[in-house]
């Protein structure tokens, strides 16, 4: 009969000592898990995904360099996707000739010279002209960021009228 209390004490000890060790191991594995690194994501040049998302607002795109990735997912995730994913589209695209002027000169939007709020991820830096004359309009952002089928976009568009370039940094929330 005395073997039972010793077994119970041993189980209690293993439970008390084992749970913190498992928690520390889990936290260490989470901290060491690779996070998404936009600098290691392949620069895309396909136009169709961009044209379908915001082409109706900026016009025809003739060239693009951009990144698209889920900002909540680590690079090695192989799990069921979250019901709410946030996809970041960031890059620069060339508009058809005269496209930049057509957008900027629309008085409804009141474009004004403005520096973009943040740097683009490193792989995209080589596609931006150093002396670009960016213009921005919060009214145009509101117009172009209308809810789309299953997605709620947010972000900013900057236009270089002389070069017919659009610089975009957008997040699409899919719910």
């Amino acid at each position: 009969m005395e073997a039972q209390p010793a077994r119970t004490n041993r189980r209690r000890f293993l439970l008390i000592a084992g749970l913190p060790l498992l928690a520390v191991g889990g936290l260490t594995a989470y901290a060491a898990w690779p996070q998404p690194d936009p600098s290691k994501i392949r620069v895309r040049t396909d136009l169709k995904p961009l044209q379908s998302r915001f082409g109706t607002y900026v016009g025809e795109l003739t060239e693009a360099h951009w990144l698209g990735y889920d900002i909540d997912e680590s690079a090695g995730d192989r799990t069921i996707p979250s019901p709410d994913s946030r996809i970041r589209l960031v890059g620069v695209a060339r508009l058809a000739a005269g496209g930049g002027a057509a957008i900027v000169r629309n008085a409804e939007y009141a474009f004004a010279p403005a520096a973009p709020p943040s740097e683009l991820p490193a792989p995209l830096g080589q596609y931006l002209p150093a002396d670009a004359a960016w213009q921005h309009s919060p009214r145009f952002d509101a117009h172009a960021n209308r809810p789309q089928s299953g997605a709620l976009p947010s972000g900013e568009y900057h236009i270089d009228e002389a070069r017919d370039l659009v610089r975009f940094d957008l997040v699409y929330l899919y719910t």
Side-chain angles (χ1 to χ4, degrees):
M1 294 244 172
E2 297 214 14
Q4 188 65 19
R7 183 176 292 162
T8 303
N9 287 338
R10 190 174 5 187
R11 286 182 182 160
R12 202 174 289 150
F13 170 77
L14 290 173
L15 183 65
I16 292 171
L19 283 177
L21 289 174
L22 284 173
V24 167
L27 290 173
T28 302
Y30 178 77
W33 197 261
Q35 297 301 313
D37 183 0
S39 67
K40 294 184 180 176
I41 297 173
R42 179 180 62 89
V43 174
R44 296 179 62 172
T45 58
D46 48 330
L47 301 175
K48 190 174 181 179
L50 301 179
Q51 198 70 50
S52 68
R53 285 183 174 82
F54 57 81
T56 52
Y57 304 109
V58 299
E60 182 186 352
L61 304 174
T62 61
E63 178 184 359
H65 296 91
W66 60 284
L67 301 175
Y69 57 94
D70 188 334
I71 60 178
D72 297 321
E73 183 178 290
S74 67
D77 276 353
R78 299 281 187 254
T79 61
I80 297 173
S82 161
D84 295 332
S85 62
R86 296 182 301 160
I87 305 299
R88 182 180 184 203
L89 298 181
V90 57
V92 62
R94 184 165 310 280
L95 304 170
I103 297 169
V104 170
R105 293 186 183 165
N106 185 334
E108 176 184 350
Y109 301 128
F111 272 87
S118 62
E119 293 292 319
L120 289 180
L124 295 172
Q126 64 183 319
Y127 302 108
L128 286 176
D131 58 344
W134 297 115
Q135 298 187 56
H136 177 250
S137 166
R139 289 182 194 166
F140 182 79
D141 293 343
H143 171 72
N145 288 330
R146 294 181 186 173
Q148 300 173 1
S149 57
L152 181 61
S154 63
E156 294 187 351
Y157 299 85
H158 288 78
I159 310 287
D160 182 337
E161 178 182 2
R163 290 183 175 88
D164 289 319
L165 293 176
V166 59
R167 181 184 190 267
F168 54 93
D169 194 346
L170 311 168
V171 173
Y172 285 78
L173 174 64
Y174 291 90
T175 58

